[in-house]
Amino acid sequence: MNHEISTGNAALDAWVNETSALCEPETIVICDGSEGERSRLIDLALASGTLIALNPEKRPNSYLCRSDVRDVARVESRTFICAESESAAGPTNNWQDPTLTKAALTRLFRGSMRGRTLYVVPFSMGPVGSPLSRIGVELTDSPYVVLSMRIMTRMGAPVLAALGDRGDFVRCLHSVGAPLSAGQADVPWPCNPDRTIIAHFPDERSVWSFGSGYGGNALLGKKCFALRLASVMAREEGWLAEHMALLGVESPTGERSYVGAAFPSACGKTNFAMLVVPDALSGWKVTTLGDDIAWLRPGADGRLHAINPENGMFGVAPGTSERSNPNAMRAIAADSIFTNVALTDDGDVWWEGMTEEPPAHLIDWRGRDWTPSSGTPAAHPNARFTTPLERCPSLDPAWNDPSGVPVDAFVFGGRMSHDMPLVFQTRNWEHGVYAAATMGSEATAAAESNLPAIRRDPMAMLPFCGYHMADYFAHWVEIGQALREPPAVFRVNWFRRDDDGKFLWPGYGENARVLAWIVERARGRARATETPYGFMPRYRDLNLRGLELSEGDFEHLMRIEVARALIELDSHDTLFEPLMSRLPRELLHQRYLLRERLHRAAEASSGPVHEAPLLIESTAA
Ligand code: TSX
Ligand code: MN
């Protein structure tokens, strides 16, 4: 059991040896990221049944993977922030004592890799060698994780070279937690759901993940490192690690703007990141840098500069179609891994929403025969595609630029059937932080009132912030105050409905009309009117050419009913109350100012407030 480890980095060698002594793998492989290594891993995964080769004519170089039915999503209840103190983690995180947790994990990991190979996966979050990038190493006993990390991150020998003999790295330890005894046959998806735990140690920049092989639980560069640990690093070092898509917007004059966009789950963030501009908006173009995470740092020019730390997309498959996301459909046409989707009779993949008519026969995500009358989904609702960003047809030319791109605007959105307008620009940075902090999506309508319960998800970071959410808000306020040109901040809502329940806004590619107004507005050009919520486009301020959107429907789409807005405002307290002891005064001030603006609007309007939206004319930028 003595392995000669030589990665070129003494600290890494020592950590691998220490881990090997604890987990007792049969062999150790240091991953170089080569094509040969990839094909060896695929052969291994095919032999064990972990992967199924798809029809190379339909889906070249692509594979299907079916997880254990108990291991299909992130498990927030078993995800812990093991900060020094419970208050450092804050009331929105699960906290556990770091010393006790480390001791328990050490017992769990003892012998956990028996009969398996320990893969050493060096990876860079961000372009290799960029000052905005950070290096991590994942030690894992899952070939599926290695193959996925090879898509989702820059991985292998170039990263070890960049790390050098002295470089520091984030330690990511992962085991599926299912040791093999000698001669025992493996299962396609080994895991240990009863003992799953994902523990983050922000003070030592490490994460220990046991028992799950799935997505965010196991691909530790993504949510665990690039958001939970990185948010802590970012706060200490004066930058931001955000749950944001990153996109470029090119105007008809060839001017390029960059936008960071944060949405809670099920709002179509990946679709937005890869949006195809309709013909009616000729000359405008949207390009993609990333669909999930952005790292942003103040530059010498007083602006925020962003990179996407990832190298691939790990997108939800159900609902992805030619209509909802043609660029994604082209990206996943080859070189992709599909997890928990359905298999067609001709060796291709299918999921709910991919086509209007389902195929007559499929093998479902559990490996069983399926027909449209089966009464269960053919693909798991959280089924995923894993595909390299480089396959994305709308890829932005700067996606791999080590200096990142300057961000002109932030867009925050949620899913709201009522009340929340299609778009508004916040009045200034602090107001933007307030609007981002209070964003959310509606849950099912509350029984008593006819106002739906809103699940707040500040900056879409609730499950991903590695420290106290109030300190996170304060960090946002500070970052913007130090910028000479902070990004303009917008709220959007694609999901408002009319009285018959019909969506008022066509969404999808047509969102480019809103995006065009946003970037023009960020540059001080587009016109707007002042409302209690901020600056809003009038009917004539948005390019709505070729859309059948009546002025009446537009008015409904943008309407602010003051009485309901005041109730909405009061409900922000549910979010703030547990954070109150550390909440930055700027947010309390913004809440006060918003209330004042709404009260003034109520007084100014004659007659019932719900019939009188306040639209004060203004040309101010
Ligand atoms: O992703 C979506 N986006 C963003 C796209 C860039 N979805 C899909 C749901 C979230 C996963 C949307 N659904 C969007 C949207 O903008 N808007 C809607 C609501 C909607 C649904 C169907 C229609 C219109 C709007 N149908 C017709 O107009 C025919
Ligand atoms: Mn995400």
Side-chain angles (χ1 to χ4, degrees):
M1 277 298 301
N2 232 340
H3 306 278
E4 236 2 273
I5 299 304
S6 176
T7 62
N9 182 292
L12 177 53
D13 290 352
W15 180 51
V16 173
N17 277 319
E18 194 185 298
T19 302
S20 167
L22 175 65
C23 302
E24 303 172 33
E26 196 162 286
T27 50
I28 299 177
V29 169
I30 298 167
C31 295
D32 59 14
S34 67
E35 202 46 60
E37 176 181 271
R38 174 178 182 270
S39 83
R40 281 194 300 280
L41 280 164
I42 284 179
D43 288 345
L44 220 132
L46 289 169
S48 66
T50 303
L51 292 185
I52 296 163
L54 294 169
N55 182 342
E57 258 136 52
K58 302 255 165 192
R59 205 62 69 166
N61 196 25
S62 298
Y63 300 88
L64 167 66
C65 177
R66 295 190 193 114
S67 80
D68 186 292
V69 298
R70 300 163 299 172
D71 191 17
V72 295
R74 288 187 295 107
V75 279
E76 280 173 24
S77 62
R78 291 158 180 270
T79 299
F80 299 95
I81 302 295
C82 304
E84 247 354 283
S85 69
E86 184 162 10
S87 65
T92 59
N93 279 311
N94 292 320
W95 176 83
Q96 278 191 171
D97 176 82
T99 310
L100 297 178
T101 307
K102 192 63 74 64
L105 283 165
T106 301
R107 286 191 293 277
L108 274 176
F109 274 87
R110 183 157 290 131
S112 72
M113 296 187 183
R114 239 171 258 157
R116 301 195 180 281
T117 300
L118 164 55
Y119 297 96
V120 179
V121 184
F123 62 94
S124 175
M125 297 314 287
V128 177
S130 160
L132 289 96
S133 299
R134 292 287 181 275
I135 288 174
V137 179
E138 178 156 351
L139 306 186
T140 177
D141 55 6
S142 162
Y144 169 83
V145 165
V146 180
L147 286 165
S148 300
M149 287 293 284
R150 193 174 181 275
I151 296 174
M152 294 305 297
T153 72
R154 286 96 170 163
M155 182 271 255
V159 179
L160 279 187
L163 180 64
D165 52 355
R166 296 284 173 88
D168 201 8
F169 56 92
V170 170
R171 288 159 170 75
C172 302
L173 175 56
H174 170 252
S175 173
V176 295
L180 277 177
S181 349
Q184 186 188 341
D186 207 354
V187 294
W189 187 277
C191 60
N192 194 341
D194 297 330
R195 296 201 157 77
T196 292
I197 171 168
I198 300 101
H200 303 72
F201 299 89
D203 299 302
E204 59 168 54
R205 312 253 191 276
S206 74
V207 49
W208 294 49
S209 166
F210 183 92
S212 167
Y214 203 83
N217 300 329
L219 312 178
L220 300 184
K222 195 175 178 64
K223 304 301 192 185
C224 298
F225 174 2
L227 288 176
R228 296 197 192 94
L229 293 180
S231 62
V232 174
M233 296 158 70
R235 182 191 177 207
E236 277 176 27
E237 300 167 7
W239 50 284
L240 295 169
E242 297 302 321
H243 191 199
M244 280 183 179
L246 197 54
L247 37 128
V249 184
E250 199 185 303
S251 80
T253 63
E255 188 178 56
R256 209 174 256 291
S257 307
Y258 292 98
V259 173
F263 298 88
S265 58
C267 290
K269 182 162 57 130
T270 298
N271 299 341
F272 187 62
M274 303 169 84
L275 169 157
V276 176
V277 176
D279 292 338
L281 230 61
S282 67
W284 288 90
K285 231 180 97 182
V286 170
T287 49
T288 308
L289 290 100
D291 79 324
D292 198 36
I293 301 176
W295 284 359
L296 312 105
R297 182 183 289 271
D301 57 359
R303 307 181 67 187
L304 263 188
H305 293 257
I307 59 164
N308 170 14
E310 301 195 282
N311 188 62
M313 294 181 286
F314 183 67
V316 174
T320 307
S321 68
E322 266 327 309
R323 181 183 122 69
S324 71
N325 196 335
N327 280 323
M329 292 306 280
R330 278 169 64 191
I332 63 181
D335 309 327
S336 301
I337 300 173
F338 298 88
T339 306
N340 290 343
V341 303
L343 178 66
T344 66
D345 290 347
D346 56 1
D348 202 0
V349 290
W350 190 85
W351 47 77
E352 278 68 22
M354 182 201 259
T355 55
E356 258 165 55
E357 290 294 316
H361 176 262
L362 293 164
I363 306 295
D364 75 5
W365 68 278
R366 306 155 107 117
R368 300 183 194 166
D369 281 306
W370 184 95
T371 66
S373 61
S374 289
T376 57
H380 188 277
N382 193 36
R384 299 281 171 152
F385 56 77
T386 312
T387 198
L389 258 178
E390 266 194 289
R391 285 204 50 89
C392 176
S394 58
L395 194 64
D396 188 276
W399 79 281
N400 205 21
D401 189 332
S403 48
V405 296
V407 174
D408 299 279
F410 283 140
V411 177
F412 295 94
R415 190 185 252 273
M416 304 284 266
S417 300
H418 306 283
D419 303 309
M420 207 42 79
L422 175 67
V423 60
F424 65 85
Q425 179 187 15
T426 59
R427 302 171 64 87
N428 53 47
W429 179 258
E430 284 79 9
H431 181 216
V433 175
Y434 184 89
T438 53
M439 84 184 209
S441 282
E442 66 196 19
T444 45
E448 266 88 279
S449 76
N450 53 2
L451 290 174
I454 294 157
R455 188 163 306 153
R456 304 282 164 195
D457 186 358
M459 287 82 165
M461 281 289 280
L462 201 57
F464 304 119
C465 183
Y467 60 100
H468 198 295
M469 211 69 198
D471 295 344
Y472 170 76
F473 296 153
H475 181 54
W476 260 82
V477 169
E478 263 179 52
I479 284 279
Q481 285 173 345
L483 291 169
R484 203 160 49 247
E485 283 183 66
V489 182
F490 298 81
R491 275 274 295 260
V492 298
N493 174 30
W494 317 132
F495 300 96
R496 194 151 175 178
R497 297 172 191 261
D498 67 14
D499 301 329
D500 303 326
K502 209 175 128 285
F503 287 111
L504 282 159
W505 179 249
Y508 299 98
E510 308 299 345
N511 294 336
R513 300 169 189 272
V514 176
L515 206 42
W517 181 82
I518 283 173
V519 300
E520 286 293 290
R521 193 68 200 158
R523 290 174 177 275
R525 287 197 289 254
R527 295 174 58 102
T529 186
E530 198 175 350
T531 78
Y533 275 179
F535 299 99
M536 285 167 45
R538 289 154 299 190
Y539 192 59
R540 60 181 177 279
D541 297 326
L542 274 186
N543 183 346
L544 300 172
R545 223 170 298 134
L547 266 195
E548 280 172 38
L549 183 71
S550 71
E551 201 154 353
D553 276 351
F554 180 80
E555 194 277 330
H556 190 164
L557 190 56
M558 302 299 278
R559 189 184 306 161
I560 299 167
E561 291 183 23
V562 176
R564 291 172 65 96
L566 279 164
I567 297 172
E568 217 281 317
L569 171 64
D570 282 338
S571 77
H572 295 172
D573 288 353
T574 319
L575 164 74
F576 290 138
E577 203 270 330
L579 306 172
M580 202 52 87
S581 62
R582 293 162 88 133
L583 206 64
R585 63 177 175 276
E586 286 85 353
L587 289 195
L588 296 174
H589 184 55
Q590 287 300 324
R591 186 179 58 166
Y592 167 81
L593 290 176
L594 176 54
R595 180 171 285 121
E596 285 302 300
R597 292 197 299 271
L598 288 166
H599 278 306
R600 251 182 289 135
E603 284 160 16
S605 65
S606 52
V609 286
H610 63 274
E611 282 174 15
L614 180 89
L615 295 173
I616 306 159
E617 290 285 318
S618 164
T619 53

